[in-house]
C-alpha cells in the first residue's frame, strides 16, 4: 500500500513537472528572425530607396544612436520628435556629438513610418532612418531590432510618447562617462522612482499604482530588485553592452526591460540609475489589467528559462574593433 502511494505520488509529480515544462516551451516566444525587408531602412533624403542597415557587430560610426520604437504613433510622435531633434542638434553644434535616429515602426497601421519620414525631412542635416517591421512584435522586439542595427558608440532607447524629458540624456551621458570611460560594457537607466510621492504618480489611477507596487515586489523575487525603476523607457547602453545583451534578448513584450537588466546582471555589467523628469502622456497602448497579467506570465517564463538553462548568454560576447571580431 505504501509503495503504491509512493509510486503514485512520484508519477503525479513527474506528470506535473512534464506538463509545466511543456507549457514553458509552448509559452516561450519564438526566436525573432527578421524578414529581408526589415534589414533595410528608408531615409528622408531618399524616401523611396531601401538601403541596407548596419550591424551592432560593426565598428561605431556615430557617437549616439537613438532608437525609438513606434506603434501607431502619428498623434504623439511629432512633439517628441521635435524635442528630440532640437536637443540632438544642439549637442551636435556645441559638442560635436554625431548622431543617428532609428525609428522602428512596429507594424503600424496609421502611417507612422511615412510621418516619420516627413518629420525627418524638416531636419536635412540629421541622419534619420526609418525601419518598418512587417508585423507587430511588441515594444521589446522593436527596441531589439533597432539596437541590433545601431551605429552609435552609445545607444539610447526612448519611448515615442515624449514622457521622458529628452534633455536628461545629458545626465545619463555623464554617468556613462563615469562607469564606462573607455567604452566598457555598461548601462545607465533613467529612473522615475523619485517621483513616487509626486503628482506625476499620485494622479495615476488606483489600479495602476497597485499594480506598480505589485510589480516591484515580483521584480525583487525575480532578481532585479536593486533597480528601483526597471520600466522607464529611457536607457543608455555602451556599444559593448549592446553587443553582449541584445542578441540574447528573447522577450518582445512590455516586460523586456527586466530581461535586459537580468542579462546585464548575469554579465556583471555596471548598471547605474539616474533620476530624470517624466510626465504622464495620454494615448498609452498599455491595457493595465490584461498587460499586467501578461507581464506576470512573461516574468515567470523568463525566470524559468534562465534557471533551466534554456536561455543562456555567453559570459563574454565577441568584441568588435575596426569591424572585426576578436
Amino acid at each position: 500500500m505504501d509503495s503504491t502511494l509512493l509510486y503514485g505520488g512520484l508519477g503525479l509529480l513527474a506528470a506535473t513537472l512534464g506538463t509545466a515544462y511543456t507549457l514553458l516551451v509552448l509559452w516561450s516566444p519564438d526566436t525573432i528572425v527578421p524578414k529581408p525587408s526589415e534589414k533595410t531602412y528608408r531615409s528622408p533624403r531618399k524616401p523611396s530607396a531601401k538601403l541596407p542597415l548596419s550591424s551592432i557587430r560593426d565598428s561605431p560610426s556615430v557617437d549616439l544612436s537613438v532608437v525609438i520604437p513606434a506603434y501607431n504613433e502619428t498623434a504623439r510622435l511629432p512633439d517628441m520628435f521635435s524635442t528630440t531633434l532640437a536637443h540632438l542638434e544642439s549637442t551636435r553644434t556645441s559638442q560635436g556629438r554625431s548622431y543617428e535616429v532609428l525609428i522602428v515602426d512596429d507594424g503600424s497601421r496609421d502611417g507612422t513610418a511615412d510621418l516619420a519620414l516627413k518629420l525627418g525631412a524638416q531636419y536635412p542635416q540629421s541622419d534619420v532612418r526609418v525601419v518598418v517591421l512587417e508585423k507587430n512584435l511588441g515594444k521589446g522586439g522593436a527596441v531589439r531590432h533597432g539596437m541590433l542595427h545601431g551605429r552609435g558608440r552609445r545607444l539610447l532607447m526612448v519611448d515615442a510618447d515624449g514622457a521622458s524629458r529628452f534633455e536628461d540624456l545629458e545626465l545619463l551621458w555623464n554617468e556613462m562617462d563615469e562607469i564606462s570611460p573607455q567604452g566598457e560594457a555598461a548601462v545607465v537607466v533613467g529612473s522615475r522612482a523619485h517621483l513616487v510621492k509626486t503628482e506625476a504618480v499620485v494622479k495615476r489611477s488606483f489600479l495602476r499604482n497597485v499594480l506598480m507596487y505589485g510589480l516591484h515586489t515580483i521584480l525583487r523575487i525575480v532578481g532585479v530588485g536593486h533597480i528601483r525603476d526597471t520600466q522607464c523607457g529611457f536607457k543608455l547602453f555602451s556599444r559593448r553592452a549592446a553587443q553582449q545583451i541584445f542578441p540574447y534578448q528573447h522577450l518582445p513584450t512590455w516586460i523586456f526591460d527586466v530581461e535586459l537588466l537580468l542579462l546585464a546582471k548575469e554579465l556583471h555589467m555596471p548598471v547605474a540609475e539616474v533620476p530624470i523628469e517624466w510626465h504622464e502622456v495620454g494615448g498609452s497602448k498599455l491595457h493595465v489589467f490584461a498587460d499586467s497579467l501578461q507581464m506576470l506570465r512573461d516574468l515567470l517564463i523568463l525566470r524559468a528559462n534562465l534557471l533551466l538553462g534554456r536561455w543562456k548568454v555567453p559570459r563574454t560576447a565577441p568584441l568588435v574593433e575596426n569591424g572585426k571580431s576578436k
Side-chain angles (χ1 to χ4, degrees):
M1 182 68 177
D2 290 341
S3 61
T4 302
L5 288 175
L6 175 61
Y7 288 128
L10 290 175
L12 179 61
L13 177 61
T16 301
L17 292 176
T19 300
Y21 188 81
T22 301
L23 289 175
L24 176 64
V25 172
L26 292 175
W27 286 346
S28 296
D30 295 329
T31 301
I32 301 173
V33 179
K35 307 290 193 302
S37 67
E38 297 170 348
K39 298 178 182 179
T40 65
Y41 73 93
R42 289 189 293 159
S43 164
R45 298 168 187 170
K46 295 181 179 180
S48 59
K50 292 189 175 182
L51 306 172
L53 285 164
S54 300
S55 169
I56 190 64
R57 295 299 182 195
D58 298 336
S59 295
S61 54
V62 294
D63 294 320
L64 174 67
S65 292
V66 178
V67 175
I68 306 173
Y71 177 63
N72 293 340
E73 289 290 0
T74 53
R76 301 192 296 181
L77 187 60
D79 288 343
M80 181 271 179
F81 192 86
S82 63
T83 301
T84 298
L85 267 293
H87 183 75
L88 292 174
E89 277 301 299
S90 174
T91 53
R92 183 182 68 84
T93 302
S94 62
Q95 303 176 32
R97 183 190 297 164
S98 57
Y99 68 88
E100 67 173 349
V101 177
L102 271 170
I103 300 173
V104 183
D105 180 339
D106 189 21
S108 299
R109 299 184 299 272
D110 68 344
T112 291
D114 291 334
L115 174 64
L117 290 169
K118 291 179 182 178
L119 294 172
Q122 299 174 14
Y123 300 86
Q125 71 282 9
S126 65
D127 187 355
V128 176
R129 301 181 171 204
V130 180
V131 184
V132 178
L133 303 183
E134 292 187 10
K135 68 175 185 177
N136 177 249
L137 294 179
K139 179 183 172 183
V143 169
R144 178 181 184 272
H145 191 83
M147 289 288 179
L148 289 178
H149 296 288
R151 298 181 297 139
R153 183 167 55 89
R154 294 175 178 175
L155 301 95
L156 176 76
M157 55 169 271
V158 56
D159 290 344
D161 59 5
S164 301
R165 186 171 68 180
F166 195 83
E167 291 84 350
D168 287 347
L169 164 64
E170 301 313 307
L171 302 177
L172 275 65
W173 195 275
N174 292 338
E175 186 65 25
M176 185 66 81
D177 286 341
E178 293 293 325
I179 66 175
S180 176
Q182 302 300 322
E184 299 91 341
V187 184
V188 182
V189 302
S191 176
R192 304 159 296 179
H194 63 294
L195 299 173
V196 168
K197 301 299 182 181
T198 67
E199 288 190 2
V201 173
V202 172
K203 285 186 175 180
R204 294 165 72 175
S205 72
F206 174 76
L207 178 59
R208 290 193 70 167
N209 283 326
V210 168
L211 292 172
M212 177 185 71
Y213 287 113
L215 176 63
H216 290 169
T217 301
I218 295 170
L219 292 177
R220 283 193 290 271
I221 298 172
V222 169
V224 290
H226 60 295
I227 302 297
R228 296 179 67 199
D229 184 2
T230 61
Q231 300 308 111
C232 182
F234 201 64
K235 294 181 174 68
L236 184 67
F237 300 81
S238 69
R239 188 170 189 81
R240 194 162 294 182
Q243 289 172 338
Q244 295 182 20
I245 290 175
F246 287 98
Y248 306 101
Q249 175 197 335
H250 292 84
L251 295 179
T253 50
W254 293 98
I255 206 68
F256 78 102
D257 303 75
V258 175
E259 183 177 13
L260 302 182
L261 295 171
L262 272 176
L263 291 174
K265 184 178 180 180
E266 288 283 318
L267 293 165
H268 305 292
M269 291 181 192
V271 178
E273 194 169 5
V274 176
I276 64 168
E277 290 301 315
W278 178 91
H279 65 282
E280 189 87 43
V281 177
S284 172
K285 311 297 188 304
L286 184 68
H287 301 286
V288 178
F289 187 72
D291 287 328
S292 294
L293 292 177
Q294 184 185 50
M295 286 179 181
L296 176 59
R297 188 198 72 174
D298 288 346
L299 281 172
L300 295 175
I301 288 172
L302 169 62
R303 201 58 181 150
N305 277 303
L306 290 175
L307 287 173
L308 294 175
R310 295 188 71 245
W311 293 353
K312 298 179 181 179
V313 57
R315 289 297 175 181
T316 54
L319 304 182
V320 175
E321 290 184 2
N322 300 322
K324 298 179 180 180
S325 297
K326 55 175 291 187

